[in-house]
Structure formats: structure tokens, C-alpha cells
Amino acid sequence: MIEILYQDDALIAVNKPAGLAVHRSKMVGNAEEFLIDRLREKLGGNVYLAHRLDRATSGVLLIARSSEMAAALGEQFMGRSVRKQYLAVVRGWPEPEEGLIDYALPGSRETGPRREASTRYQRLATIEVPIELGRYPQQRYALVQAEPLTGRFRQIRKHLAHIHHPVIGDCQHGRGDHNRLYKQYFGCHRMLLHARRLQFAHPLDGRPMVIDAALDREYSDLLARFGWSLPPLDHDFTDAAAMPPDPSTAADARAS
């Protein structure tokens, strides 16, 4: 069942479950269920994606009720006026505790041209667990809040891997040994990346919209096990509108 976070005649915001593909594409392989099909069946009509989340990522996803609304929302994503906040559990303790990752990335093809890409991050909590792995008798992990200022393909996952703090559960850019550790010791079988908040202007009247998505049971249970509590959502985390418009960023770009 898809949790609807907000709904009106112009748009719908849902809390996408981890592991559910958004739509049919070559990137999702042998997926049999798609979020967009479920919504069409539930709502009894056409719906249109305003942006994307990776199959393994959970959290806020915007759906338009018409192609015109999808285009209007897409312009906001292209203009970098949409603010996006994610939560990730990563290997290691990022230093410094707050920073900007500025590292150009290719699109869905690694051999394609690289374009500028920036992600702000903030370390929220840390833990050291007494589990031996490789050369180390203990393992360090951190809870990170990230805000992509651009919308490149798998931007957050690639940027955190670039600074040697990959997202736990990321099969493409992460560490298989740590992913297996989380399955074996913590019963965690999902990628620990969640789109926690979206801020944007309503496409009809321009009023400010803030949509938040709660963590699922598996993610929230892990945080409780580590003794981590989420801080209040910070309205001043980053001013994404300070970034200049990017004509090369399409509305279907995925920063997750």
C-alpha cells in the first residue's frame, strides 16, 4: 500500500517504499511492480512523474495529476528551487562534520560527459560497534543528513562513496562486506537512504509546500537500536535557490 502524504487536484506526494521501482525502465531489471501503476489503479486515472527516486531509496516522491503540472514542477527541479533533504547511514565518520562535496558526475552512463554536482552534508550521530571485519575489531558508522544542490544520477550515493563514506545497503557504490554485516547482525536488508523532506512552490498558486516522509519500520528500528534520535527538521539547512539554474538537468534526474 502506498502512503499518500498530500493530495489535491494538481499533485500528489507519496512516501515511496524502499525496493519498489517507480516506473518501467532498463535500470530496474526484472521488476514486476511499479509505483506509477499502483497509483493509476488507486486513483483511477493518469498520473505523471515530476521527478524520480531510485528503486532502493525511500521517501517523498512528487506525482502530478496532468502533464502540464508535471512540466511546471519539472521547471522548479531544473531551476534548483526545490529543496531536498535526505537521511543516510554511512560507513565511517565523515570529517569534517559538515561540508560540501563538489565533484563532477556523469549521467546514467559512467562513460558519459561529467557535469558539475554539489551536495551538502551534516553528520548527525555516530556509533562504534564491536564487530570484527577485515583488519578492524570495531566498525564505525554515522547518520548523515544530505542535501543535493544539483540533480545528477545517483548523486548522493556517488558523492558519499567519493569521500569514502558509502551508504549502507548500496550495492552499486557501497561496500559489500558492510552491507552483509547489516543483514547478518542487524536484520537490515534495504539501502539506508531516505528522502525525508521536499520544499517547493505549488505549481498552481505558488504557495510554499513542505512535505515530510517518516522512516519505515526497518530504518527506524535500526536508529532505535543504535540509540540515535532524529533532530527537528532544520528550515535553514541550506538555501538551494542560491544555486544558479541548470539547463542540463532534466526533470527526471535522480539525486538518490
Side-chain angles (χ1 to χ4, degrees):
M1 185 173 180
I2 304 298
E3 178 189 5
I4 294 180
L5 304 170
Y6 176 84
Q7 182 176 1
D8 63 23
D9 292 338
L11 61 89
I12 306 158
V14 303
N15 189 354
K16 178 188 129 16
L20 178 63
V22 172
H23 68 127
R24 290 174 174 80
S25 79
K26 294 179 180 179
M27 303 299 297
V28 299
N30 60 351
E32 296 181 355
E33 287 193 284
F34 304 92
L35 182 143
I36 199 73
D37 292 340
R38 285 195 192 178
L39 278 181
R40 285 172 180 150
E41 183 178 349
K42 179 181 180 68
L43 300 172
N46 285 333
V47 290
Y48 304 82
L49 290 169
H51 68 124
R52 310 294 202 270
L53 289 177
D54 284 348
R55 180 178 182 176
T57 304
S58 60
V60 184
L61 182 70
L62 284 184
I63 312 290
R65 300 303 300 264
S66 69
S67 58
E68 292 80 10
M69 290 300 100
L73 289 167
E75 288 179 2
Q76 292 188 49
F77 282 94
M78 290 174 66
R80 297 179 179 175
S81 60
V82 178
R83 297 176 62 181
K84 298 166 282 187
Q85 293 182 1
Y86 288 74
L87 291 173
V89 177
V90 303
R91 170 186 170 270
W93 296 356
E95 293 286 353
E97 293 185 16
E98 298 183 29
L100 175 69
I101 306 169
D102 188 4
Y103 179 69
L105 295 172
S108 57
R109 294 185 179 182
E110 288 298 321
T111 56
R114 290 179 174 266
R115 297 187 175 95
E116 56 122 357
S118 300
T119 302
R120 293 190 185 277
Y121 75 87
Q122 179 183 14
R123 200 178 80 193
L124 302 178
T126 60
I127 193 170
E128 194 168 58
V129 297
I131 299 174
E132 185 174 354
L133 184 64
R135 297 180 296 147
Y136 303 101
Q138 301 187 85
Q139 309 306 316
R140 289 183 168 187
Y141 301 104
L143 178 66
V144 170
Q145 182 170 257
E147 180 167 359
L149 304 183
T150 50
R152 306 306 177 202
F153 181 72
R154 293 180 180 169
Q155 177 174 311
I156 295 174
R157 296 163 62 178
K158 290 180 178 181
H159 270 173
L160 289 173
H162 174 69
I163 64 169
H164 308 295
H165 297 288
V167 178
I168 298 300
D170 187 344
C171 297
Q172 283 78 35
H173 312 286
R175 287 278 302 267
D177 50 355
H178 287 270
N179 295 347
R180 290 189 293 272
L181 182 150
Y182 268 66
K183 292 178 182 178
Q184 179 180 352
Y185 289 94
F186 306 130
C188 186
H189 297 268
R190 58 157 295 176
M191 184 173 72
L192 293 171
L193 182 62
H194 176 76
R196 189 184 186 195
R197 163 171 280 193
L198 274 184
Q199 294 178 253
F200 59 97
H202 196 285
L204 285 181
D205 55 22
R207 71 181 185 275
M209 301 289 296
V210 180
I211 308 293
D212 300 328
L215 296 171
D216 63 21
R217 181 71 176 271
E218 189 170 355
Y219 206 138
S220 58
D221 282 354
L222 180 76
L223 266 57
R225 180 168 184 168
F226 287 172
W228 291 345
S229 58
L230 294 178
L233 284 156
D234 185 355
H235 292 274
D236 299 321
F237 180 59
T238 298
D239 183 6
M243 297 292 290
D246 181 7
S248 67
T249 302
D252 66 350
R254 287 171 289 178
S256 57

